[in-house]
Structures are given as structure tokens and as C-alpha cells.
Amino acid sequence: MIFASDNWAGASQPVIDAMIRHNTGSAPAYGTDPLTERVTQRFRDIFEHDVSVLFTATGTGANALAMAGCARPAGLVMTSGTAHIHCDEWGATEFYTHGMKLVPVATTKGRISAGDLAREIGKYPEGSRFGVPVALSLTQASECGTVYTPAEVAALTGAAKTRGMVCHMDGARFANALVHLGCTPAEMTWKAGIDILSFGATKNGCWCAEAMVVFNPDRVRDLVTLRARAGHLFSKSRFVAAQFDGYFEGGHWLDLAGHANAMARRLSEGLAAAGHKLAYPVQANEVFPLLDLATIARLRAAGAAFYEWPEAGSSEDRVAVRLVTSFATPEADVDRFVEIAGG
């Protein structure tokens, strides 16, 4: 019963098969191979836009380099208080941008509102000595498993663009959000005002496949140079491309996310029926129930892997835990977890 993270899952069989299929002969290095170009065209088809695509080794690398591409002195990056770039990336954005400051905006259930963003931006008027709002970074799906609608994204980017800010989306769980919303990738990104996307596939069935997808190259510059200098330029780029080739084939990426989301719904519904409250609505593939300590001990004794998440809520006898489902989560594991949690 593995619910610690979708990073714990392996790679899907079609992704592995694609890597094996493309592991023949020789191919030009550093992203100049035909497969990388073909996959780039696949991204263009999926997003209905003439995007540029730059592979990176990690999502942290994609996020930090995206911010480095728009960095300026005394720059400020507005984001949520729970954002991965703010809480979990070891200061990577600050490091790669030579000191741009991350400014957390008031956050409710992982999301920020356009009104709160506008108020935060207003604290830094033109010419002030407190910093210059440069970028907005939204996480989709959020670290709380909640999702912004395209209209909400558009409202947020609209508020940011009144000050000429670059709009970035951290899409580590992009596919999970997309499946929940039922919209198109274009509607969730550039049509809603996003300039650059960190597109994550590692959490959703790939081995190591992350990319910066650039919709508006005039807003983020020197990414090719920044990526190479940061050590994120793969020499054997075709093996990252191969993963994306298997990932996208026949809508496989959406099927993987659909299963993960369905397991999260099954898990949340079972826990709710057993009387456990949930800290956040379940929209993607994360569930945050509040469990009593005896139940937590019983689950761990049965071999369940998960993390306590007190920031999502706690009381004298209960604490929130984070449960993350993946493309590989079996229904039997969900049902067994719910059975044990039910006492």
C-alpha cells in the first residue's frame, strides 16, 4: 500500500518499450536527433502552438531555469505559500536567478486568488525600493491536490500582466489537472495567459522526463544557454524524447493520469464513508484525510507508506496525512487501506 508519493512508482510499460525501441544504432547528441524533433512537433500538436521545448533532468531544474529566463535585479516572484518552488526546492529559484525573491501570496487550499494577487502586487509600486514584481508562478495541480480552472488561471495572469509580469506554470502534475478539468492543454496554458510551462511526466509514468515548454519566447530569454550552464542539457537527449514518445502515444499520458485520479477518488470516498474528514477537496491524485493516531499506527503496521502532513490540519488527537495515488496504484491497495482505516 504505497501512498507516499507518485514518485515512488516505476515507469509505465509503453514508456519502457519506447526507450528500448529507440535504443538502436546511433543518433546525433544534445537534442539534435530526429526523435527529439519529432517529439517537439508532438508537443506543438498537443498545445496547438508553435512552442519550443527544452528537456531538463528534474522539475526543480525546469522551474528554476524558467524563472532565470526572466530574472532581473530586485525581482519578485509571486507564488502560493505551499508552492514547491517556495517550500521544497532548496532555494533553487533564488540561486539560478541571482537572488530574485519569492513572495508567497495568501493561499487557500493550495490556490491563490486574482484579488489577493493584485493586492500583493500593489504592495510594490513602480519605483519602490522593495522590489519589482517580475513573475507569477502557479502550480497546476497544486500541492494540496486542488486545481485552477482555465478561467481562474486567466484571471490570475490578467492581474499579473497589468505589471508586465511573466506567467509560469509548474505542471509537475499537469496531466492529473488536465484530466480533472476535461479541457485542452492549450486552454489551460497559453490561451489563459501562461508564457512558460514546466511540463512534468516523471510523476505520471516516465522514468525521467521533464521539459520547459515555451509559449512566449519574447518573455523568457537565454534558456538554451542557461540550461547548458546549469548542467541540464542531456547528451543522449533521444532517451528523454523516447519517454515522451511512449508517453503521448495514443493518449497514454491521459490514461495514466485518469487511473491515478480515479484511485484518489475511490480512496477519498472510502475514507469519507468511514467517517474521516478531508482537509481539501480531491480533484487530482492527492488525498489529505485527518486520521487519529491509532489509525495511523494500524495502517503503518499493515505496511502502508504515507507521510503525516500536519500543515493540512491537526488537533489534539488527529493529524492530516498525505496520500498520493499513481498510475500504478491497484484498486486492491486502495480498498485494503480504507478497510484498515475504517477500524
Side-chain angles (χ1 to χ4, degrees):
M1 293 180 288
I2 304 300
F3 298 103
S5 174
D6 38 10
N7 281 323
W8 285 35
S12 77
Q13 195 59 51
V15 168
I16 294 297
D17 291 344
M19 293 183 73
I20 294 171
R21 184 168 65 249
H22 294 294
N23 186 32
T24 57
S26 299
Y30 299 108
T32 60
D33 59 283
L35 179 59
T36 295
E37 180 51 41
R38 195 173 84 208
V39 166
T40 298
Q41 185 56 53
R42 181 73 68 86
F43 271 97
R44 290 169 181 154
D45 294 341
I46 287 170
F47 283 95
E48 306 171 58
H49 199 283
D50 186 20
V51 298
S52 60
V53 180
L54 295 91
F55 302 152
T56 62
T58 66
T60 294
N63 289 338
L65 290 170
M67 295 296 91
C70 63
R72 57 180 291 191
L76 305 173
V77 179
M78 307 287 178
T79 191
S80 79
T82 58
H84 208 265
I85 65 168
H86 178 56
C87 300
D88 298 281
E89 295 186 353
W90 300 83
T93 291
E94 294 94 325
F95 178 78
Y96 280 105
T97 61
H98 300 287
M100 281 218 297
K101 182 179 179 180
L102 290 167
V103 179
V105 180
T107 305
T108 302
K109 298 178 180 177
R111 295 173 297 195
I112 61 177
S113 71
D116 285 333
L117 175 62
R119 279 187 286 276
E120 193 65 43
I121 293 171
K123 296 177 183 178
Y124 305 92
E126 295 284 355
S128 78
R129 60 187 175 88
F130 303 112
V132 181
V134 168
L136 166 68
S137 181
L138 302 175
T139 311
Q140 182 76 317
S142 80
E143 287 78 2
C144 298
T146 52
V147 172
Y148 294 100
T149 67
E152 289 169 334
V153 174
L156 285 156
T157 61
K161 288 179 186 295
T162 63
R163 291 289 295 275
M165 296 167 67
V166 172
C167 296
H168 164 255
M169 179 176 283
D170 176 356
R173 294 186 174 94
F174 185 87
N176 302 97
L178 192 68
V179 166
H180 171 75
L181 290 169
C183 63
T184 69
E187 289 167 340
M188 201 163 78
T189 54
W190 64 270
K191 287 186 176 181
I194 296 296
D195 298 305
I196 182 168
L197 164 71
S198 297
F199 183 92
T202 305
K203 295 180 185 295
N204 190 43
C206 285
W207 166 68
C208 175
E210 307 287 326
M212 292 181 284
V213 180
V214 184
F215 305 109
N216 192 345
D218 293 336
R219 305 306 314 283
V220 281
R221 299 180 179 275
D222 301 318
L223 288 178
V224 171
T225 300
L226 290 165
R227 179 182 64 163
R229 188 180 68 172
H232 279 267
L233 174 59
F234 287 90
S235 60
K236 295 185 179 181
S237 177
R238 62 168 158 153
F239 290 107
V240 182
Q243 293 175 75
F244 281 124
D245 191 44
Y247 188 62
F248 290 138
E249 187 65 33
H252 179 55
W253 65 302
L254 301 177
D255 293 338
L256 295 172
H259 176 81
N261 287 12
M263 292 301 97
R265 287 195 303 274
R266 187 183 186 95
L267 185 58
S268 65
E269 289 166 1
L271 290 170
H276 297 292
K277 293 183 179 180
L278 303 178
Y280 309 125
V282 177
Q283 297 179 323
N285 65 319
E286 295 179 273
V287 184
F288 293 84
L290 284 92
L291 304 179
D292 61 85
L293 301 183
T295 297
I296 291 173
R298 197 164 61 246
L299 286 162
R300 287 197 167 131
F306 56 90
Y307 291 110
E308 294 182 24
W309 218 259
E311 55 264 44
S314 62
S315 62
E316 187 173 323
D317 61 344
R318 288 181 180 270
V319 64
V321 302
R322 188 188 75 161
L323 309 173
V324 189
T325 56
S326 77
F327 79 93
T329 300
E331 285 187 5
D333 281 9
V334 171
D335 294 344
R336 177 61 178 151
F337 190 98
V338 169
E339 179 186 5
I340 295 169

